């Protein structure tokens, strides 16, 4: 960082500006606290997931043992993210907050979190989260997250639900392919690095599906998907599939 610090004659801080080519942080006293304003462009925070913000503006109030992020707004994965947060220290470091994401692009967002699975679509999500650790470096090691999401007009790669129903008698299961969707919605809970997807609902033309599954810390999958192909009056095919394998190689079996 480059730094520009202004002090009063008695040594008290009047203003401090820290900046580099991507981020600018301004600190100024406010009663018994510090007011912080952050502006960033093309910036990835130094800890946590590999999130790269196209733009980010954040305002926080900091005292001796806590920081309250009164609001942040940015562009992430072509979408708009907004939220608030609280961080405290003095013993363990704790952080909690909530955020919303509007019109994010799954194809850009997923690589920030996982390398073994890909999808496309426009994502809206609302989430709360809680982090706790005794060091800043490990603060994101075991997050707790509760989220609801809806994705539209996208594709799940390496998963073919339609073929899985059509080949329900295959003992080896179905691997590969893709599943297009008009809408994919559900909830996500993250705890102990286990990702639990619940109340999933997928609609894709004449095919609809519901289900739930878990992603274990090592990437293994376990869950069930019920799907049917047809209309309200005529069902062409239906079945229940077990989801297994890994994020990299999902397997659908009857």
């Amino acid at each position: 960082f480059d730094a520009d610090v202004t002090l009063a004659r008695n040594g008290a801080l009047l203003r401090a500006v820290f900046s580099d080519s991507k981020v600018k942080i301004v600190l100024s006293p406010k009663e018994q606290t510090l007011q912080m304003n952050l502006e960033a462009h093309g910036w990835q925070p130094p800890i946590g997931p590999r999130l790269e913000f196209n733009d980010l503006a954040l305002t926080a109030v900091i005292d001796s043992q806590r920081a309250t992020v009164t609001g942040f707004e940015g562009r992430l994965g072509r979408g708009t993210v907004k939220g608030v947060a609280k961080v405290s220290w003095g013993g363990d470091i704790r952080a909690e907050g909530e955020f919303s994401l509007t019109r994010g692009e799954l194809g850009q967002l997923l690589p920030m979190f996982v390398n073994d699975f890909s999808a496309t679509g426009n994502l809206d999500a609302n989430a709360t989260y809680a982090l706790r650790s005794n060091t800043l470096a490990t603060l994101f090691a075991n997050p707790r997250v509760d989220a609801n999401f809806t994705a539209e007009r996208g594709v799940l790669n390496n998963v073919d639900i339609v073929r899985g129903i059509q080949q329900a008698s295959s003992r080896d299961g179905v691997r590969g392919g893709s599943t297009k969707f008009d809408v994919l919605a559900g909830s996500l809970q993250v705890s102990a690095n286990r990702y639990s997807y619940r109340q999933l609902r997928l609609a894709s033309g004449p095919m609809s599906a519901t289900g739930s599954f878990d992603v274990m810390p090592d990437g293994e999958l376990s869950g069930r998907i019920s799907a049917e192909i047809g209309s309200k009056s005529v069902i062409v095919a239906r079945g229940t599939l077990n989801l297994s394998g890994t994020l990299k190689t999902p397997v659908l079996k009857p």
Side-chain angles (χ1 to χ4, degrees):
F1 285 98
D2 292 327
D4 185 354
V5 180
T6 304
L7 303 176
R9 288 186 177 182
N10 63 358
L13 176 67
L14 294 179
R15 190 171 186 264
V17 180
F18 304 92
S19 62
D20 63 14
S21 61
K22 294 185 177 181
V23 63
K24 178 181 179 181
I25 300 171
V26 179
L27 298 174
S28 55
K30 183 179 180 181
E31 298 177 350
Q32 301 301 313
T33 65
L34 280 177
Q35 176 87 26
M36 183 182 80
N37 293 289
L38 179 149
E39 294 183 2
H41 306 280
W43 179 64
Q44 180 177 320
I47 61 171
R50 298 170 297 172
L51 303 178
E52 183 169 333
F53 291 90
N54 305 110
D55 300 285
L56 178 64
L58 179 151
T59 302
V61 177
I62 306 169
D63 64 23
S64 61
Q65 289 193 322
R66 67 183 58 85
T68 301
V69 179
T70 55
F72 64 84
E73 181 173 350
R75 299 282 296 173
L76 179 69
R78 293 185 180 176
T80 300
V81 60
K82 298 180 180 180
V84 295
K86 294 181 179 179
V87 183
S88 62
W89 53 90
D92 285 350
I93 303 171
R94 300 169 181 251
E96 61 182 27
E98 60 186 53
F99 68 87
S100 64
L101 174 71
T102 306
R103 305 296 292 176
E105 171 50 54
L106 271 173
Q108 292 195 11
L109 291 166
L110 278 177
M112 300 179 188
F113 297 92
V114 61
N115 295 320
D116 294 333
F117 185 78
S118 64
T120 63
N122 296 316
L123 177 67
D124 292 344
N126 292 284
T128 61
Y129 61 90
L131 313 170
R132 181 176 179 178
S133 179
N134 56 4
T135 67
L136 187 61
T138 58
L139 184 60
F140 289 84
N142 186 16
R144 294 183 61 87
V145 179
D146 287 282
N148 295 300
F149 64 88
T150 300
E152 297 180 338
R153 296 184 295 277
V155 177
L156 301 175
N157 294 311
N158 221 17
V159 178
D160 194 334
I161 297 176
V162 172
R163 188 156 59 95
I165 295 298
Q166 292 173 337
Q167 299 180 14
S169 61
S170 173
R171 293 183 177 181
D172 295 332
V174 171
R175 295 172 171 81
S178 63
T179 298
K180 293 183 179 180
F181 60 84
D182 302 314
V183 178
L184 172 62
S187 65
L188 166 65
Q189 293 80 44
V190 181
S191 180
N193 287 315
R194 174 174 176 165
Y195 290 68
S196 300
Y197 291 86
R198 298 291 183 263
Q199 299 176 322
L200 295 173
R201 307 177 305 281
L202 183 148
S204 177
M207 190 269 285
S208 62
T210 60
S212 63
F213 69 93
D214 294 324
V215 183
M216 305 305 290
D218 60 1
E220 289 192 2
L221 303 174
S222 64
R224 292 172 67 83
I225 298 172
S226 298
E228 59 182 35
I229 304 170
S231 64
K232 292 183 178 180
S233 57
V234 179
I235 302 300
V236 177
R238 64 156 54 103
T240 299
L241 301 169
N242 293 306
L243 175 63
S244 60
T246 66
L247 275 175
K248 189 174 184 178
T249 56
V251 181
L252 296 173
K253 289 184 177 182

